[in-house]
Amino acid sequence: MTEHRLPEPDRPWVIRTYAGHSDARRSNELYRRNLAKGQTGLSIAFDLPTQTGYDPDHVLARGEVGKVGVSIAHKGDMHTLLEDIPLGEMNTSMTINATAAWLLALYVTVAEETGVPRAQLQGTTQNDIIKEYLSRGTYAFPPGPSMRLIADTVSFTVNEIPKWNPINVCSYHLQEAGATPVQEIAYALSTAIAVLDEVKARGQVSEDDFPRVFGRISFFVNAGVRFIEEHAKLRAMAELWRKIGRERYGVTDEKLLRMRYGVQVNSLGLTEAQPENNVPRIVLEALAVTLGRNARARAIQLPAWNEALGLPRPWDQQWSLRIQQILAYETDLLEYPDIFEGSKVMDGLVAELREGAEEEMAVVAEHGGAVEAVPYMKARLVESHRERIARIERGEIKVVGQNIFTETESSPLTAGADGGILTPDPEVEEECRAALERWREQRDETAVERALAELAEAARDESRNIMPATINAAKAGATTGEWAQTLREAFGDYRAPTGVGAAAAGGSDEELAAVRERVEEVSARLGHRIRMLVGKPGLDGHSNGAEQIAVRARDVGMEVVYQGIRLTPEQIAASAADEDVDVVGLSILSGSHMELIPETVRLLRDRGVDAPVVVGGIIPPAHAERLREQGVARVYTPKDFEINRIMGEIVELVAERSSAATPAS
C-alpha cells in the first residue's frame, strides 16, 4: 500500500443532529425517525426552563416551555424521551450546563431502571458553565458552586461511568458571541485548566488516576466559513492541549493527551436573507473539521439551512444529516492520511494562532484564571463582536445575499404556509403544566422530601460529592425545579456581568457621526439625553444582539439602561417606569416573542410608559405584523444587520413621540 493512502478507510465520525422540541413524546418520535435515517448518535436539545432549572409552571417559564428544545421536568419525562432507544449502545450528547448534574442523574436513573448499568453508558454532558457567563446565559448558580458541580460530575463519572465525557468545554458559543480564533482557543483552554484544577483541588480522584480525568475532557467547537483558518485553529488547539497535559498535569499517555472534540458548525454566519445560501456555507464549514485526519472531529452536528428563520422542521434536519452522510460515505475524505501534513500554509497559520492564543491565555492567567477573568473575557467578546458587525456594515466582511449580491428571486423553500419553519404546538406548555401536576400527585411525596433534604445537606458540605444525592433525588421523583431550587437556597443567586459597561468606546464613521448629531439634537429638545432601556424578557440567554444594540446606543450618545438577561415582563415595565426611559428595546431569540412581548407592552402602558417599543429576534413575518398590531413600533430580525440604521430609526421614533422632530430642510 502506498504511503498516500490508508490501508483501510477510517470509520466515520459520530453523525448527529441537534434536536428536541415540545415535550418528551414528540421528541422521542423525532429521535427514532432520525436514527432510522442513519443518524449514529443522539444530541438532545433541552428547552430553556430545563436548562436553567425551572419547572414548566414557574413564572419565568411562561412562553418558553418546549420552544428551543424538549421540556424535561422529572424521570418520567426522561423515560418517555428515551423510550425504545438502546441506552447500552447509544452515544448520547446532552447540551446542558447549569443543570448538567441533574440531567445526567435522570439519564443514569432511566438506564438503571431499564436494566442498563451506569458503567455501560456512553455520551457527553456539555457541563461548561464559564461559557454560560460569557455567551449563552443559561447559568443557574454562582461561579464557585457551579465549578464544584462540574468537578463533582467529572470525578463521579471517571469513577462510575468511565465511558462518559463529563464536560464538553464549549468554545462554540464563544465564536457565536464574537470570539476571534485566538480568543476561542485561549478562553476554551483556560476554562479546561480551571476545571482540571478544581477537580484536583477537590481530591476525589487519586493522583494516579488523574491522567484519566485529563483524558475524559472533551471539547465542543465552532467552525466558521473561513474553513482553512478554522482547520488551523483546531490543529493549534490540539497542540496546545497536548502541551498543557504534559507540562501542567504530567500526562504521558498519548491516547489521553489527544484533544477529542465534537462540533456544530457556525450558526452566527447563517443569514435570513437568501437562506438557501446557508447550505454551501454549512458544507464548507463541515470540511473544516473533516479534511485533515490529524484534527478530525469525533462527532458532528450541522445546523439546518433555516435556523436564522426559526425552528427547523424534520425535513430540514434530514437535509443536514444527508450532508454529513454524503461527506462520510460518498467522498474520499476518509481514505487518506493527513492531507495538510507538511503544508507551509497550514504550519504557518497554526504557529500564528498558537502564539496568539498563548499570549491571550497568559492575560487570562494574570486575571486569576478563567473564573476570575469572566468580566475581562466578556468585555473582550463584546468588543470583538462589535468590530465584526461594524466590518459587515462597512462591507469589509462580505456576506453574499446580505451586504453584496442582494438581488434575489423568491425562494420556494420559504413559500409554504409554514414559512419554512416549524412552530411548536401552542398547547404544549399547558400540557406540560398539567402533566407536572399529575406527576406530583402520584409520586411518593415523603420520599421526595427526604431526598431533597439529603441533597441540601450534601450541598452545604463542601467535602461531599453532590452526584449521589442528585441521583437519589432523581430516583425519588423530584423535579428539575425542585432540584435547582434546593441548590439555589444553598448556593445563593448570581447575575453575570454584561460586558457592556466594560467594553471600550467604539470608533466612529460618517454614518455613526450623523446619528450621534441627531441624538444631540433630539436630546436637547427633550431636556435630557435620550434614555433607552434594553431588556431581555424570559429565559433567552442569547444576549449578543442585545449587547450590541446597547453598546451602539451608548456609542451614538444615548444613555443606556441594560440589566442583562432573564427578566420578567413585570421587571422590565417597572424599570422603564422608574428610569423614565424614552424608548424600550426588547430582544428574544427563543421563539417566545408572541407570549412575552405583548405582555410587556401591556404592562408598560399600565404603568404609564408610552415610550415606543422596538423588538429584535428570530421573528417570522406573520408574527412581526401581529406584534406591530399590538403596539410594537419596529421589529428587527437577523436580516437587519445595519445597526447604525437601526439607531437612526430609533432616534426618529423618540423624536416623533416627543413632538421634537425638526422639519426637513
Side-chain angles (χ1 to χ4, degrees):
M1 180 62 67
T2 57
E3 290 184 0
H4 65 275
R5 293 183 184 274
L6 294 172
E8 294 288 338
D10 283 335
R11 283 189 306 168
W13 52 89
V14 177
I15 296 174
R16 294 183 172 128
T17 54
Y18 180 53
H21 67 84
S22 305
D23 60 8
R25 177 183 58 79
R26 292 174 175 90
S27 293
N28 173 262
E29 292 169 357
L30 175 63
Y31 295 160
R32 287 190 283 114
R33 287 201 305 271
N34 285 347
L35 290 169
K37 293 172 183 174
Q39 182 176 305
T40 56
L42 278 186
S43 182
I44 300 175
F46 297 99
D47 72 355
L48 289 173
T50 305
Q51 291 185 53
T52 50
Y54 295 102
D55 287 331
D57 58 356
H58 192 279
V59 62
L60 274 170
R62 282 185 303 179
E64 304 281 18
V65 178
K67 283 285 169 56
V68 301
V70 59
S71 173
I72 299 295
H74 45 72
K75 71 173 183 179
D77 286 342
M78 191 65 100
H79 269 290
T80 301
L81 183 72
L82 301 172
E83 187 175 357
D84 294 329
I85 293 174
L87 298 188
E89 305 165 23
M90 185 55 56
N91 190 305
T92 302
S93 171
M94 295 194 283
T95 303
I96 196 74
N97 294 285
T99 56
W102 174 247
L103 271 299
L104 177 58
L106 291 175
Y107 194 86
V108 169
T109 295
V110 169
E112 293 184 338
E113 290 184 353
T114 53
V116 179
R118 63 181 64 169
Q120 200 173 326
L121 299 176
Q122 302 178 71
T124 303
T125 34
Q126 191 166 97
N127 207 15
D128 176 1
I129 205 62
I130 292 177
K131 67 94 177 174
E132 296 301 320
Y133 302 136
L134 293 177
S135 56
R136 182 62 184 85
T138 61
Y139 56 83
F141 314 113
S146 294
M147 291 298 288
R148 175 196 168 185
L149 280 173
I150 293 170
D152 282 1
T153 306
V154 172
S155 300
F156 181 83
T157 53
V158 167
N159 292 324
E160 301 267 344
I161 318 175
K163 297 179 183 178
W164 196 267
N165 300 311
I167 181 170
N168 213 207
V169 177
C170 180
S171 68
Y172 174 84
H173 287 103
L174 301 183
Q175 187 177 128
E176 298 290 298
T180 64
V182 161
Q183 289 171 330
E184 187 178 344
I185 297 168
Y187 298 166
L189 293 182
S190 296
T191 295
I193 288 171
V195 169
L196 286 164
D197 287 353
E198 181 72 12
V199 173
K200 186 178 277 286
R202 287 190 60 71
Q204 295 174 356
V205 178
S206 70
E207 195 69 30
D208 290 344
D209 282 342
F210 198 78
R212 290 199 299 127
V213 174
F214 188 90
R216 292 322 302 170
I217 305 292
S218 62
F219 293 83
F220 188 72
V221 306
N222 204 324
V225 77
R226 291 170 56 85
F227 72 100
I228 303 298
E229 183 179 57
E230 292 293 270
H231 184 76
K233 175 188 75 181
L234 293 162
R235 296 173 88 96
M237 197 169 176
E239 288 184 13
L240 286 172
W241 184 237
R242 283 194 295 272
K243 181 179 179 182
I244 290 166
R246 288 194 191 98
E247 296 181 5
R248 189 179 182 100
Y249 300 107
V251 181
T252 57
D253 186 329
E254 283 299 320
K255 184 177 179 181
L256 298 178
L257 285 166
R258 189 169 59 215
M259 189 187 93
R260 298 173 305 111
Y261 76 93
V263 65
Q264 172 159 320
V265 305
N266 189 270
S267 293
L268 178 66
L270 302 183
T271 60
E272 178 185 12
Q274 299 180 25
E276 61 276 7
N277 297 341
N278 294 330
V279 175
R281 290 182 181 118
I282 290 166
V283 175
L284 289 170
E285 290 162 354
L287 287 177
V289 296
T290 55
L291 267 178
R293 186 174 189 251
N294 291 350
R296 184 171 290 144
R298 300 287 291 271
I300 299 174
Q301 56 194 44
L302 302 181
W305 67 276
N306 55 350
E307 287 196 16
L309 307 178
L311 190 64
R313 301 158 300 189
W315 183 87
D316 308 311
Q317 292 191 328
Q318 175 181 299
W319 196 357
S320 290
L321 178 63
R322 296 298 185 240
I323 289 171
Q324 289 203 61
Q325 291 168 330
I326 289 167
L327 285 174
Y329 298 108
E330 292 191 26
T331 77
D332 55 351
L333 273 176
L334 299 173
E335 296 177 12
Y336 306 108
D338 193 275
I339 65 171
F340 289 112
E341 191 171 346
S343 163
K344 289 190 297 184
V345 170
M346 189 56 64
D347 290 348
L349 268 174
V350 169
E352 179 184 307
L353 293 172
R354 186 181 63 238
E355 290 163 13
E358 286 186 302
E359 290 174 7
E360 186 65 10
M361 289 173 70
V363 176
V364 172
E366 288 169 7
H367 280 78
V371 177
E372 295 299 322
V374 163
Y376 163 78
M377 293 189 289
K378 179 66 175 178
R380 298 295 80 76
L381 291 176
V382 171
E383 290 171 358
S384 294
H385 198 35
R386 175 177 59 194
E387 177 57 23
R388 177 186 175 275
I389 291 172
R391 291 183 67 201
I392 293 174
E393 288 181 280
R394 296 192 296 264
E396 295 170 13
I397 295 176
K398 292 177 171 51
V399 183
V400 173
Q402 182 164 298
N403 66 357
I404 58 168
F405 309 123
T406 55
E407 292 296 318
T408 185
E409 302 295 333
S410 297
S411 172
L413 293 173
T414 59
D418 60 5
I421 57 172
L422 173 68
T423 302
D425 188 335
E427 299 300 316
V428 164
E429 187 163 321
E430 189 52 46
E431 290 174 8
C432 287
R433 287 177 180 168
L436 177 62
E437 187 175 345
R438 290 194 299 273
W439 176 263
R440 287 179 177 143
E441 289 172 353
Q442 295 166 7
R443 68 185 182 179
D444 183 339
E445 200 64 35
T446 301
V448 171
E449 290 175 4
R450 187 165 53 244
L452 291 175
E454 180 196 354
L455 176 67
E457 185 180 329
R460 289 190 296 267
D461 185 350
E462 280 280 337
S463 67
R464 288 179 61 176
N465 187 302
I466 213 161
M467 279 302 300
T470 293
I471 291 174
N472 288 344
K475 290 184 174 180
T479 68
T480 297
E482 290 165 345
W483 176 85
Q485 183 58 31
T486 300
L487 296 191
R488 283 189 176 96
E489 291 170 2
F491 297 154
D493 292 323
Y494 179 73
R495 185 166 286 276
T498 67
V500 171
S508 187
D509 55 36
E510 189 174 323
E511 190 175 1
L512 189 144
V515 178
R516 186 180 287 144
E517 184 177 335
R518 184 63 173 142
V519 168
E520 293 299 328
E521 292 174 4
V522 176
S523 295
R525 291 176 178 271
L526 288 171
H528 64 264
R529 191 156 295 282
I530 295 175
R531 279 191 290 275
M532 180 176 184
L533 183 146
V534 179
K536 287 192 65 64
L539 292 174
D540 172 34
H542 280 301
S543 58
N544 306 329
E547 288 157 3
Q548 292 307 312
I549 291 292
V551 167
R552 190 68 61 88
R554 186 194 67 185
D555 287 348
V556 299
M558 297 187 202
E559 181 181 327
V560 179
V561 179
Y562 178 57
Q563 298 168 326
I565 62 172
R566 212 175 299 171
L567 300 169
T568 64
E570 291 84 355
Q571 288 172 317
I572 290 172
S575 181
D578 293 344
E579 300 286 350
D580 192 23
V581 299
D582 302 296
V583 60
V584 176
L586 304 175
S587 168
I588 296 182
L589 285 85
S590 65
S592 58
H593 46 269
M594 292 309 300
E595 293 85 359
L596 296 178
I597 297 298
E599 176 70 0
T600 304
V601 172
R602 183 185 68 78
L603 291 169
L604 285 166
R605 304 309 179 228
D606 286 351
R607 284 181 170 268
V609 178
D610 65 350
V613 176
V614 299
V615 174
I618 299 177
I619 300 172
H623 289 185
E625 183 58 35
R626 286 168 58 191
L627 289 174
R628 284 188 285 266
E629 291 170 357
Q630 295 180 67
V632 171
R634 291 282 191 282
V635 176
Y636 298 103
T637 65
K639 71 178 184 298
D640 299 300
F641 64 93
E642 299 160 310
I643 302 185
N644 284 336
R645 174 180 63 81
I646 293 171
M647 288 295 114
E649 292 176 359
I650 288 173
V651 175
E652 294 311 316
L653 284 174
V654 175
E656 291 165 13
R657 183 60 62 95
S658 63
S659 301
T662 56
S665 56

